[in-house]
Amino acid sequence: MSGQLTAIRFGKVHPIVYYAVQAAQTGQFGAAKRLYNIGAGKSRSNIMPQDLVLIGGGHSHAIVLKMFGKKPLPGVRLTLITDVSHAPYSGMLPGHVAGFYSYDECHIDLRSLVEFACCEIIIDRAIAIDFNRSQVICQNRPPVKFDLLSIDIGSTPATLSVPGAANYAVPAKPVPEFLANWNDSIAWWRNHPDTLLRIAIVGGGAGGVELALNMQSRLLKEAGEDTDYETARMNYWGILNELLGRGKQEEKLENLLEIHLFHSGAELMHGHNRQVRLRLQEILVRRGIQLHLMEKVSLVEKTAKLEIASDSQYPMPDAPCPIPHYRIYCESGLELEFDRIFWVTQAAAASWLEASGLAVDANGFIQVNDCLQSISHPNVFAAGDIAAMLNYPRPKAGVFAVRQGKPLFENLQQFLLQKPLKPFVPQQQYLSLIGKGDQSAIASRGSWMWESPLLWYWKDWIDRQFMKKFIDRTQKENKETQFL
């Protein structure tokens, strides 16, 4: 059997004993010892196995799996349904876009994590829930039976209300598709260093602003070739301004890169204090990112690609390619063309949740009580962006998904043990650390703001400490413990 536990089915053997044997056979001696100690002598018991199915590999579920690995329950079979084997950590994604973190540094290896938790993993996308049969319907795999269900699938930017956006814009989520398009943009930039690249970002919230700054950082780093970011930044914004003159440098930048940020409101980053909003707007303008405030995008369409015949009277073998592919139309009448359009607007939920019969709010998010339990289906829990707490509405932010991980784990175990659930009260305010793309950050909490490079290093330390919890836990356990 390979290093991952897949398609596990039980006969008359108690699942804890079965998992202990499988863990030992695959070299997971630390996990095997824990399971053996819990399950020894229980194979002849009358405990009926219970199926706990987790849909999605979000932050909350990553914590749940880690805690189940440390504290498994006898008679409980775990299954994770996820469409990715590596889950992105949202706190480090802007830094990854800027080139500060590698892919592995900002992604949780779910295969390693499910091995630690002795959990079955199904790489597929859930598309419906059949509550009559207690089954999760997958896109490609057979239905998965459940007794208890937990959902942590995140959200996606709302594009359906704008014609053409779903077809021609790249949403910030799902992250794998976004990163694939971003990497394509970087590759195109490398192959066409003397050609104008025009990028549009739709959405002026924290996500859109941070994306604009970090995208520009990465592209200017690419333009600086082998130099590090600070050298490239000095080349573009400092030394060359003096040697070439401000006008020449601005002209050079305009011929290489344009980043436009569209926002329907009068000010950026609704939900943050005015000092933060104005400061980030000032930074964007100073760095040459073109702001389009009070501009609501109404249509996105694909433009015809310019073809140059080989027998043309004026052949252009070195003509830049591609010519801008997409055009954005705004309600004001503004029209602009771009090579790439990225969509970072208000979050939306998967439509199959409501279609399956779950109680959802006006935006399609699962309504849960203070225990993160669905108000319509007691055997369904939800956390992260996909959950909407009735009594404690909060913004869609990774910090809340992380904080919900432990109470979600505790209430899943309480439910399985038929014990009272524990209410969870999320914090009302939270500290937001906004990276500026230059290894400096702005801290925002309530009416307070602070800007410093120290904040970026503090954020970097916090993020790395979080990721260390999930790095190759199985190997760590095997080194620390030997199976008897």
Side-chain angles (χ1 to χ4, degrees):
M1 187 172 182
S2 64
Q4 65 185 47
L5 303 176
T6 55
I8 293 174
R9 293 293 180 264
F10 299 98
K12 296 182 179 180
V13 179
H14 192 277
I16 294 296
V17 175
Y18 183 90
Y19 274 134
V21 173
Q22 293 298 326
Q25 289 178 347
T26 56
Q28 303 171 58
F29 301 119
K33 181 177 180 180
R34 292 194 310 274
L35 291 171
Y36 181 82
N37 290 336
I38 293 172
K42 293 180 180 284
S43 58
R44 294 185 179 89
S45 68
N46 295 321
I47 298 176
M48 291 296 294
Q50 298 182 83
D51 289 298
L52 168 56
V53 176
L54 311 177
I55 303 179
H59 301 354
S60 298
H61 276 177
I63 294 171
V64 166
L65 286 168
K66 185 196 71 172
M67 298 186 75
F68 259 105
K70 292 182 176 180
K71 188 181 178 182
L73 276 183
V76 176
R77 300 184 292 204
L78 289 174
T79 302
L80 172 66
I81 302 173
T82 171
D83 57 347
V84 295
S85 60
H86 290 74
Y89 172 47
S90 60
M92 298 176 82
L93 277 177
H96 176 59
V97 169
F100 300 137
Y101 302 117
S102 68
Y103 179 91
D104 289 337
E105 285 177 315
C106 63
H107 283 76
I108 299 171
D109 184 352
L110 293 177
R111 291 186 183 275
S112 175
L113 190 56
V114 296
E115 284 186 359
F116 176 72
C118 295
C119 172
E120 176 185 356
I121 183 171
I122 296 175
I123 304 296
D124 202 353
R125 188 185 300 271
I127 58 174
I129 302 171
D130 185 343
F131 284 106
N132 293 325
R133 294 182 174 87
S134 296
Q135 292 179 337
V136 178
I137 309 302
C138 299
Q139 194 168 41
N140 301 305
R141 298 284 296 273
V144 180
K145 179 185 175 301
F146 69 88
D147 297 301
L148 177 60
L149 190 63
S150 182
I151 304 173
D152 180 19
I153 58 174
S155 61
T156 57
T159 59
L160 297 179
S161 60
V162 178
N167 295 326
Y168 306 126
V170 179
K173 297 178 182 179
V175 172
E177 287 82 353
F178 162 75
L179 289 180
N181 279 274
W182 172 236
N183 289 330
D184 286 344
S185 301
I186 295 172
W188 187 90
W189 175 261
R190 289 171 180 163
N191 294 330
H192 303 82
D194 298 323
T195 304
L196 173 63
L197 174 62
R198 291 189 272 197
I199 293 176
I201 298 171
V202 180
V209 169
E210 201 166 8
L211 189 62
L213 292 170
N214 284 279
M215 279 186 166
Q216 186 192 57
S217 167
R218 178 63 179 275
L219 292 171
L220 291 183
K221 181 179 179 180
E222 293 293 332
E225 298 179 351
D226 293 331
T227 59
D228 59 21
Y229 175 73
E230 287 301 323
T231 303
R233 181 171 176 266
M234 287 298 293
N235 285 342
Y236 278 97
W237 303 109
I239 297 173
L240 286 182
N241 281 340
E242 299 178 4
L243 297 179
L244 302 177
R246 178 95 181 152
K248 291 183 180 180
Q249 176 62 8
E250 287 181 350
E251 182 180 354
K252 181 179 179 180
L253 284 172
E254 289 173 0
N255 290 333
L256 290 176
L257 175 65
E258 286 184 11
I259 296 181
H260 296 246
L261 182 61
F262 292 81
H263 184 54
S264 59
E267 290 186 350
L268 300 168
M269 300 184 61
H270 173 74
H272 290 267
N273 65 69
R274 182 172 176 80
Q275 189 179 3
V276 170
R277 298 199 303 267
L278 293 179
R279 175 57 183 151
L280 282 165
Q281 182 170 326
E282 176 189 357
I283 292 171
L284 290 165
V285 172
R286 177 169 56 82
R287 295 192 186 177
I289 295 173
Q290 300 186 40
L291 296 182
H292 303 281
L293 300 178
M294 299 293 290
E295 293 287 358
K296 188 172 183 178
V297 176
S298 58
L299 174 66
V300 178
E301 70 174 14
K302 190 174 183 178
T303 60
K305 185 176 178 179
L306 177 63
E307 299 289 347
I308 301 173
S310 59
D311 58 350
S312 172
Q313 184 178 359
Y314 302 101
M316 300 173 64
D318 297 325
C321 180
I323 299 298
H325 281 156
Y326 311 104
R327 181 178 290 116
I328 282 180
Y329 297 85
C330 297
E331 291 181 352
S332 66
L334 177 66
E335 298 179 19
L336 291 172
E337 289 187 332
F338 297 97
D339 302 294
R340 291 284 195 277
I341 301 173
F342 294 94
W343 208 268
V344 201
T345 57
Q346 185 178 4
S351 59
W352 60 264
L353 298 169
E354 182 177 11
S356 296
L358 285 167
V360 298
D361 66 9
N363 296 314
F365 297 101
I366 302 172
Q367 292 181 309
V368 297
N369 60 23
D370 296 355
C371 302
L372 303 177
Q373 182 184 39
S374 166
I375 64 171
S376 60
H377 294 76
N379 64 333
V380 176
F381 287 73
D385 282 2
I386 202 61
M389 296 190 72
L390 281 180
N391 296 325
Y392 302 102
R394 294 293 184 268
K396 303 300 180 186
V399 62
F400 293 111
V402 171
R403 295 292 176 88
Q404 288 173 347
K406 183 178 179 180
L408 175 63
F409 164 77
E410 291 174 344
N411 279 324
L412 290 174
Q413 289 215 340
Q414 292 291 103
F415 186 93
L416 291 165
L417 294 170
Q418 299 183 1
K419 293 182 178 181
L421 302 182
K422 302 177 181 180
F424 166 68
V425 179
Q427 61 197 92
Q428 187 168 2
Q429 291 187 341
Y430 65 100
L431 177 66
S432 178
L433 295 172
I434 305 158
K436 302 190 302 176
D438 59 355
Q439 293 186 318
S440 180
I442 292 177
S444 172
R445 180 184 173 93
S447 59
W448 176 78
M449 185 199 94
W450 182 32
E451 180 179 358
S452 171
L454 295 176
L455 290 171
W456 190 90
Y457 290 104
W458 182 39
K459 181 181 186 302
D460 174 71
W461 182 84
I462 292 172
D463 291 336
R464 290 184 186 275
Q465 290 298 117
F466 177 78
M467 290 298 292
K468 279 183 181 179
K469 299 176 182 178
F470 306 102
I471 294 176
D472 213 354
R473 294 202 60 89
T474 54
Q475 290 185 14
K476 182 178 179 181
E477 288 292 321
N478 291 338
K479 290 179 181 178
E480 293 177 351
T481 310
Q482 292 183 351
F483 184 60
L484 297 178

